[in-house]
Every structure is written in structure tokens, then in C-alpha cells.
Amino acid sequence: MAEYLTLFIGAVVVNNFVLTKFLGLCIFFGISKNLSASVGMGMAVTSVMTMSSILAWIMYFFVLEPLGLTFLTTIVFVVLTASFVQLLELIIKKQAPALYNMWGIYLLLIATNCIVLAVPLLNVENSYSLMKSIVFAIGSGLGFALAIILMASLREKLAYADVPKPLQGIGIAFILAGMLSLAFLGFSGML
């Protein structure tokens, strides 16, 4: 149990993909202007990452590896992820049109988000069991959600601050991201 907890905490905080590895920044900067959109996107990325990891693990260990087709791993994982994102898009468009409109193009960017592809690839590379893969995927997704929610909270507060004109917009967002990154890098080496 401690091994799973360490893997989970490591994925959320210590090895946060956004703030320590700088992956998934397109969605991170694009959506983090609005807190409610950030919460929804964090949950969407977490669900896509978890389901993609499960499907990718099954595909790798039951199809690709036994048939000697491991050289197709990246292509197969991209197709699985893209298919799942398309399904998610259809569901959200039907069930929550306001959320669908708020996310805009960023929903489709989940399919090409490097974090969503990195997690299944790392699961295979580290030879994680299915349970470890699920724990790592959920932790990585929640780490993404934590980063984007923190950033959105800070950016919404900055709307009321007197930010110098040259730093307004993306400039101050990069400074905030750097400060958050420094804070998260303080956890490195803990696990």
C-alpha cells in the first residue's frame, strides 16, 4: 500500500508533469484564465489519462508484446488516446454544452497533449502493473489538475492587481508559472 501511495504522491506533487517537467503547457496557459474551466479541464484530463492508460496497458501487454509489435507502441497509444478524446468530446457536447463552449479548441488538444501520451508510455517503460498504471495515471492527472487550478486561482486574483502594462497577459502568466514551478521543485528528492 505504501508503494502505491508513494507513486501517487510522487505523480501529484514531486514529479508534477506541468510544474517540474514542463509538459502540457499549451492547455495549462490557455485554460488557466478561468477557474471553473480549469477545474473541468483538470477532471477531463485526469479521466482521459486514466482511461488511456488502462487501454494502453491492456493493448501493450496483451497484444503488442505477445505479437512482437512493440515498435508500434507510440502509434497505437496515440490512436487510443485520440479515440477516447473524441468520445469524451461527443459526451461533453451533448451533456454540458456550456462547458464544451468554454473549453473550445483546448478539448481537442487533450488528444495531442504530451502528458496524456507520456503517462501510458512511462507505465510501459517502468513495467508497472495494471494497478500501478492506474494509480500513476490518476496521480498524474490530479497533478495536472492541481497545477492548472492553482494557476487559474492566481490569474483570477491578478485581474484585480495593478500589473505593469508590459507584463499584462501572458507575461505575468509566465512569471506565475515560474514561481509555482520553483515551489514544486522544492519537493524534489522527497520520495
Side-chain angles (χ1 to χ4, degrees), residues 8-71:
F8 179 78
I9 297 296
V12 174
V13 180
V14 178
N15 298 312
N16 186 294
F17 278 99
V18 177
L19 298 174
T20 62
K21 301 201 183 316
F22 309 111
L23 297 175
L25 294 180
C26 180
I27 293 175
F28 177 71
F29 283 113
I31 293 293
S32 65
K33 297 173 191 168
N34 182 304
L35 183 60
S36 60
S38 295
V39 170
M41 183 58 77
M43 294 307 107
V45 168
T46 302
S47 64
V48 167
M49 203 177 301
T50 303
M51 290 307 298
S52 294
S53 291
I54 292 169
L55 294 173
W57 190 92
I58 292 168
M59 183 64 78
Y60 184 83
F61 287 105
F62 289 107
V63 178
L64 297 177
E65 195 174 58
L67 296 176
L69 299 173
T70 56
F71 62 93

Side-chain angles (χ1 to χ4, degrees), residues 46-127:
T46 302
S47 64
V48 167
M49 203 177 301
T50 303
M51 290 307 298
S52 294
S53 291
I54 292 169
L55 294 173
W57 190 92
I58 292 168
M59 183 64 78
Y60 184 83
F61 287 105
F62 289 107
V63 178
L64 297 177
E65 195 174 58
L67 296 176
L69 299 173
T70 56
F71 62 93
L72 294 173
T73 301
T74 303
I75 294 169
V76 170
F77 287 6
V78 167
V79 169
L80 283 173
T81 302
S83 301
F84 189 73
V85 169
Q86 287 297 320
L87 178 64
L88 180 68
E89 180 188 15
L90 291 172
I91 292 169
I92 290 174
K93 191 174 188 178
K94 176 101 170 135
Q95 300 297 324
L99 191 59
Y100 177 80
N101 291 331
M102 196 179 317
W103 287 348
I105 189 67
Y106 295 104
L107 181 60
L108 294 175
L109 289 176
I110 293 175
T112 59
N113 191 332
C114 48
I115 298 174
V116 176
L117 180 59
V119 170
L121 288 173
L122 286 171
N123 287 337
V124 168
E125 182 181 311
N126 294 324
S127 299

